[in-house]
Amino acid sequence: MDMGDGNKTVNISGDNYLISPELRDGSNNGTDCFEWWCFEHETLVVLEAVAIILSLVGSFGNLITVIAILFTSLRYSVNCILIGSLSFAGFLYCSLIMSMQAVIFHRKSHNIAQDFCSAAGGIRYTLTGVIMTHLAAIALYRFLNVVYINKYRYMSENRQLVTSLVVCWVLPLVFTIPPTARVWGAFQFQSQILSCTFDKKADQSNRVVMVTAGFIVPCLFIIYCYARIGCTAYRSLKRVSRWKGNSPQSKAIRMSTMMMCIFLIFFLGTFPYFVLNVTDKGFKHPIHHIWTTMFAWVLYCCNPVVYTLMDTNFRMAYKKILMGECERNPVRRTGSSFARAASAKI
């Protein structure tokens, strides 16, 4: 409705808002802004600040984890090699996706180039899938280490380990390349949530398949692995009670417990987001999409904290790196907590 003085009244979700000419600035390309965030400047400032902080914290935490593994004896552990690859994926996500989102919040734009958004959406969901597949691979290796030690040794050989890493990085591309190329599904900038995500006007079957095959199935597999580890530990309870604190068996269980915590953190962070993406395909509740995304980001930054709290070797490695005491030629320590329980010569 035109007010006659250059202002307009717009009805959004039953509420009337007055749009003044001041809102028609360069950031909105000289057009009227009809989204909910047009009237929430302070909210966007807070979202931008949170995105910047999480980007910095997450990038630093994951990068220092990668460096700590590369330049200490942790690099001789199969499990730590997988953690290093997982942390590198987390570093890319925090440094690329979160920083890009902070720029979008700052620009307050409701129109971003299609090609850019297709690439950004593809990178975003590819890295999320890479993190998910790494968690599944780690769960598999922990399961084999506790339940089938001979198969674990076989999977820890060079060829099998490299194959596992390649699969973790390549498999998500099977689901993200088609929508990126707009062959099956599509990624589009959704101004309601200020994000490059699934196009609500495109074929939604890709979204359903991606959530099912890229999230639900790996989660069920991971839950199965850790459930079997728990059952094995429970059946051996009497024998476990006689294990010494630094015995290979007790270290294997502790390592499995730590990685299960990492998975639970990831699950709690991403489950609300994926559920909302399936149930609210039209983005009718934009604020929920934003807070679930932010919640996942917070938990993405928690992995280094878990490593620090739950493993002495990571604490020592972090300390050496932060104190500038890198080991250029680290020696395998046969007495370390990973040497017998969670490592193999590679």
Side-chain angles (χ1 to χ4, degrees):
M1 173 180 176
D2 196 337
M3 302 296 293
D5 56 358
N7 296 332
K8 288 185 178 182
T9 300
V10 180
N11 182 278
I12 301 178
S13 301
D15 297 323
N16 292 323
Y17 294 96
L18 184 66
I19 301 181
S20 62
E22 287 75 10
L23 285 173
R24 308 171 195 175
D25 53 18
S27 64
N28 289 317
N29 300 323
T31 60
D32 292 335
C33 181
F34 302 107
E35 303 297 345
W36 65 271
W37 46 263
C38 301
F39 318 97
E40 300 291 344
H41 176 72
E42 293 79 7
T43 300
L44 291 181
V45 171
V46 172
L47 292 175
E48 178 185 349
V50 171
I52 292 174
I53 293 172
L54 292 179
S55 177
L56 294 175
V57 173
S59 298
F60 174 78
N62 284 289
L63 182 60
I64 202 70
T65 301
V66 173
I67 295 174
I69 292 172
L70 286 176
F71 293 100
T72 66
S73 57
L74 292 179
R75 75 185 192 185
Y76 293 113
S77 165
V78 170
N79 201 76
C80 288
I81 291 173
L82 292 169
I83 290 176
S85 186
L86 168 65
S87 298
F88 183 65
F91 167 73
L92 292 178
Y93 190 99
C94 293
S95 59
L96 296 177
I97 304 303
M98 293 185 189
S99 59
M100 179 193 69
Q101 193 62 54
V103 173
I104 293 176
F105 286 144
H106 180 77
R107 292 183 69 246
K108 306 177 183 64
S109 175
H110 56 256
N111 186 21
I112 292 182
Q114 174 60 49
D115 291 341
F116 174 83
C117 242
S118 293
I123 294 173
R124 175 184 180 182
Y125 287 101
T126 297
L127 290 175
T128 301
V130 168
I131 294 173
M132 188 77 245
T133 53
H134 273 84
L135 291 173
I138 290 172
L140 174 62
Y141 272 82
R142 300 315 312 149
F143 166 71
L144 295 178
N145 188 28
V146 174
V147 182
Y148 300 109
I149 187 62
N150 290 331
K151 292 183 179 179
Y152 170 76
R153 290 168 181 162
Y154 170 76
M155 289 296 295
S156 298
E157 294 176 0
N158 282 359
R159 181 179 299 178
Q160 286 73 24
L161 181 59
V162 171
T163 300
S164 298
L165 292 173
V166 171
V167 169
C168 288
W169 282 94
V170 174
L171 182 60
L173 294 174
V174 175
F175 302 100
T176 57
I177 287 181
T180 301
R182 304 184 72 81
V183 175
W184 178 32
F187 295 122
Q188 176 73 35
F189 182 73
Q190 303 298 337
S191 58
Q192 303 99 312
I193 61 175
L194 286 164
S195 179
C196 295
T197 184
F198 296 102
D199 187 353
K200 61 183 178 182
K201 298 179 181 178
D203 183 7
Q204 297 299 303
S205 60
N206 175 269
R207 180 192 294 198
V208 175
V209 171
M210 189 182 298
V211 171
T212 303
F215 180 74
I216 296 177
V217 172
C219 281
L220 293 177
F221 174 76
I222 293 171
I223 291 172
Y224 168 80
C225 289
Y226 286 120
R228 285 292 305 275
I229 292 173
C231 291
T232 301
Y234 179 77
R235 287 196 301 267
S236 306
L237 182 61
K238 292 182 179 180
R239 180 160 50 91
V240 170
S241 64
R242 295 194 297 269
W243 289 349
K244 296 181 180 180
N246 58 354
S247 66
Q249 296 91 339
S250 62
K251 291 166 189 172
I253 295 298
R254 284 204 302 269
M255 173 59 73
S256 299
T257 302
M258 182 180 77
M259 297 318 302
M260 183 178 65
C261 290
I262 296 296
F263 163 68
L264 290 177
I265 287 174
F266 180 84
F267 179 80
L268 291 175
T270 54
F271 181 74
Y273 173 79
F274 278 105
V275 169
L276 193 62
N277 263 275
V278 173
T279 58
D280 185 22
K281 299 177 182 179
F283 306 103
K284 296 180 181 179
H285 307 286
I287 194 64
H288 295 317
H289 285 269
I290 292 178
W291 78 255
T292 53
T293 300
M294 291 285 187
F295 184 59
W297 289 356
V298 171
L299 297 181
Y300 282 178
C301 301
C302 291
N303 289 1
V305 176
V306 176
Y307 303 145
T308 303
L309 294 177
M310 298 190 67
D311 192 85
T312 304
N313 291 277
F314 270 100
R315 287 197 295 271
M316 294 173 59
Y318 287 145
K319 182 178 179 180
K320 287 182 178 180
I321 295 300
L322 294 176
M323 296 295 291
E325 301 175 2
C326 298
E327 300 178 53
R328 293 186 178 181
N329 296 298
V331 178
R332 181 194 302 273
R333 296 192 179 100
T334 56
S336 68
S337 66
F338 299 109
R340 297 178 184 175
S343 74
K345 189 173 182 180
I346 58 174

